[in-house]
Amino acid sequence: MNYRHSFHAGNFADLVKHALVLWLLKQRQAAGPVNVLDTHAGAGLYDLTGDATRSREAEAGVARLMATEARPPLIEALAAEVAALNPGGGVRFYPGSPVLIARALRSVDHYVGFELREEVAGLLRDSLRAHSAARGEIGDGYELVRAEAKRARGSLVLIDPPFERPDDYLRAAETAGAIVTADPEAMVAIWTPLKDLETFDGFLRRLETATSSPTLVAEARLRPLTDPMKMNGCAIVVVNPPEGADAAATEICGWVAGNLGDVGARAEVWRT
């Protein structure tokens, strides 16, 4: 299964990821200036009348989010960001992590997002042009975030690969381990699809080998993990989670699973 940002922008997995990333950023900002690093930034901003129409996943994700009136606080925070990008109403534009984070930065904060594909890196730079504290760079994010993380203590790192390459799970785990080994104060959030338990368990074992730091696992399962060709859910794995992360992840994953999932959908939040 390939997972390109532009085809899946605004789907249920983006809602989980972006609502939790917004919350993590606020927690880190409360402690001082923040250096945010993003291994697979994508284009930064998505027009849902483009590639996303082919998958129609935004219709079952952000469109349903914005049509819902009763939203818990952390889901409402994401909805407010989406609404701000669509002042005329509707849901044409959806913010990827770069724009979402850039809009929340203070003058003392910084964001660097990496994108391997040159054409997408150009779109990333364009989407961040109005944000002086944020920049997009072309290159291998797995390698480049390690160097960037060494320049500032306590970085917030987002590892969000498209899982097009067979070694993405391995490199994600190794990169997270290298970052927290070099900087024990760093917080690393890793997004993964949930296709089958064997793949996900293997990733968690690799991560456990790479680091002994406290780790939170937040899952939103929209359907049973019986068809490995489908994205049956998603997970955010947070290394060095802040206080309150369990409750925040439970609120977000619980809402997504309960409102967007099939019969039997569920959320699970636990620590390794």
Side-chain angles (χ1 to χ4, degrees), residues 34-39 109-115 133-158 175 178-180 182-183 186:
V34 184
N35 185 45
V36 186
L37 306 172
D38 195 347
T39 60
D109 302 327
H110 299 279
Y111 167 88
V112 184
F114 300 100
E115 175 53 48
R135 75 178 197 270
E137 300 288 347
I138 189 169
D140 185 340
Y142 289 123
E143 296 297 332
L144 295 173
V145 294
R146 299 190 190 197
E148 287 283 345
K150 291 178 181 178
R151 300 173 187 170
R153 303 295 289 180
S155 296
L156 171 59
V157 182
L158 177 60
T175 299
I179 289 170
V180 296
D183 178 10

Side-chain angles (χ1 to χ4, degrees), residues 11-87:
N11 71 356
F12 79 91
D14 267 359
L15 304 186
V16 172
K17 173 173 58 182
H18 293 143
L20 189 54
V21 165
L22 272 180
W23 183 83
L24 291 172
L25 176 59
K26 285 189 174 182
Q27 307 315 301
R28 185 112 298 194
Q29 286 175 324
V34 184
N35 185 45
V36 186
L37 306 172
D38 195 347
T39 60
H40 297 75
L45 182 66
Y46 300 96
D47 184 341
L48 299 182
T49 65
D51 286 342
T53 60
R54 293 172 60 181
S55 70
R56 304 187 68 178
E57 292 178 15
E59 295 178 15
V62 66
R64 290 177 62 183
L65 164 69
M66 301 307 289
T68 303
E69 294 184 359
R71 298 183 288 241
L74 302 187
I75 295 295
E76 179 60 36
L78 176 60
E81 290 297 318
V82 174
L85 292 172
N86 295 275

Side-chain angles (χ1 to χ4, degrees), residues 6 46 49 72 98 115 131 152 201 225 235 263:
S6 60
Y46 300 96
T49 65
E115 175 53 48
H131 305 281
D201 286 347
L225 307 186
V263 175

Side-chain angles (χ1 to χ4, degrees), residues 126-192:
D126 289 341
S127 72
L128 295 176
R129 201 174 302 280
H131 305 281
S132 60
R135 75 178 197 270
E137 300 288 347
I138 189 169
D140 185 340
Y142 289 123
E143 296 297 332
L144 295 173
V145 294
R146 299 190 190 197
E148 287 283 345
K150 291 178 181 178
R151 300 173 187 170
R153 303 295 289 180
S155 296
L156 171 59
V157 182
L158 177 60
I159 300 177
D160 178 24
F163 293 95
E164 295 175 328
R165 298 169 181 265
D167 62 347
D168 271 328
Y169 286 101
L170 176 61
R171 295 193 73 191
E174 290 180 343
T175 299
I179 289 170
V180 296
T181 297
D183 178 10
E185 298 176 11
M187 183 190 305
V188 183
I190 311 163
W191 177 90
T192 75

